Amino acid sequence: MKEIIFAGFGGQGVLTGGLILSFMAAEKDLETTWMPAYGATMRGGKANCVVKMGEVGGERIGNPLMGHADALIAMNEPSLDYLGKTKKGAVVIVNSHGVDENYEYPSDKKVYKVDSVELAEKVSNEQGQNLVMLGAMMKVTELYPKDEAIDLMCKFFASKGKEKYNEKNIAAFLAGYDAV
Amino acid sequence: MSETVLMKGNEAVAEAALRAGLDFYAAYPITPQTEILEYLSKKMPELGRVCVQADSEITAINMIMGAAYTGKRVLTSSAGPGISLKQEGLSYCAANDLPVVYVDVQRGGNGLANMGSCQTEYKREVTGGGNGDYHAIILAPASVQETADMVSLAYELAEKYRNIVGIMTEATIGQLVEPVTFKEAVDPASLPVPSWAKTGKMISSSDEPIKPRIKDAKPKADRAKYFQMKEEVQMWESTNVDDADYVVFAFGAPSRVVYDALLILREEGQKIGMIRPQTLWPYPEKALEELKEDVKGLISLETNCTGQMLPDVALARDLHFKDRHVPVYSCAYIVLDRIPTVMQVVDDIKAIISGQTEEAY
């Protein structure tokens, strides 16, 4: 079972980012859960979701809440509060645009810094910062091969009637993928 | 079977009800179940069915009662405080044998309550809830798929027994997104009109009365019906109980934490099993037949502070183990906003095994 935390401010696309991961797993007939931060959340406030995915078909997912994550995607500094919910050796993808460069990370985590704002702007997809982070995470964790991940991401947006943005979204994903 | 989609537990309630032929829904918004109303307010008008955001929970349940009299499939939903307001109406529905289905997406605590994912409505739901002398069948799903499955089952049971059926979920299950496959949609117009339904035509002498039958016949029939449901409707899922020294009873979201905890405890050589009640009334007393004769203890695990399910586990124990005393322990979690962590459950079960926790019954 894999567990990934996607965290940031409301409006940064963290819930969608997590939903894409859940969608990918479901498309591969794996069990999956997506659990949003529950409570009074709002645009600009703290937001997060935790996604769990089976690694083989039929692997059942028990507790859907945050526990021992394999990866944390942190779009801002408050998201690093969840470092305590990650495993030893966990991958942490940090948005360097939103986190102090002198932040002291625990030594047992593999930290990758990605400037999601700059990279998203470079591919003219400012709203695709979550996809930049997703691309970076996909490369580092090798969760799914690049082409398969891109196909599934496009399928996700198509299922929401947003396939016309696929090209821009692929560009954002690749910007992150190639940055780590 | 239709294709698998990702959906929230609350949305799955709504979609499954629509597919089961839901014709009339009335409710008042409350966290954490408002997605049900939101989803149905969009879909039902498109299908030519009726969705009402009532001016209060009390109005909603009385509308439901009226609609149910016509033999149509109806639904209302709320969280703990809203279902409290509906108790008078539900008691009237019981008095008139109406097959009403309701959903309680529990939040936590007394009075207005908080938004925590809790199981604080167990005691009320399993005892009927309103005044009088009745039981609703209470179904408790632990996943989005099971939520959807239980909605269609709820209508079958409600109509089979002419009884109220409550689906008791909780914030975590309502907000959780998981893959779900729905049953094929049923056209409400294709459903048979029950013989007792009030269709607006002249009432003939053969019609069953609308008014509660208050003479002896009604209580006697009710008693027989409740015994029959107790015999026929018990549902549960068991995990590793065959060789278990200790068996945890847990339902809904916390049962999923127990599932993970059992994996850890098994790896450490502890033989722990779980019985997950899927019906809370009738309580799955028959599940105890799966336990080994020399089981050392039973544990009632739930997310409320008073241990509301605990007496039901003790009663089931008394019914099954007549010749020796098997201790029943309580793990009742007072954790606002969340269900306990896996390690918390592991530690608490270990404390019971090592004799540090006193038995409750």
Side-chain angles (χ1 to χ4, degrees), chain B residues 17-64:
Chain B
L18 282 180
R19 285 169 183 257
L22 174 67
D23 228 343
F24 186 93
Y25 172 84
Y28 187 80
I30 182 173
T31 300
Q33 64 80 52
T34 303
E35 290 92 350
I36 302 174
L37 172 58
E38 193 181 353
Y39 193 94
L40 290 174
S41 66
K42 183 168 182 292
K43 298 272 182 163
M44 290 185 83
E46 288 172 8
L47 294 163
R49 308 183 198 174
V50 183
C51 173
V52 183
Q53 178 175 325
D55 57 294
S56 77
E57 288 86 351
I58 297 169
T59 311
I61 190 63
N62 285 297
M63 287 176 169
I64 289 296

Side-chain angles (χ1 to χ4, degrees), chain B residues 40 53 103 163 167 188 198 217 272 275 280 337:
Chain B
L40 290 174
Q53 178 175 325
V103 178
N163 204 77
I167 299 167
K198 304 306 162 198
I272 316 292
I275 287 173
L280 299 177
D337 294 319

Side-chain angles (χ1 to χ4, degrees), chain A residues 32-34 38 60-63, chain B residues 32 115 177-179 237 256 260:
Chain A
T32 178
T33 60
W34 174 94
Y38 166 69
R60 183 165 164 174
I61 298 173
N63 180 19
Chain B
M115 295 202 297
V177 170
E178 286 183 318
E237 183 192 52
R256 300 178 62 136
D260 284 353

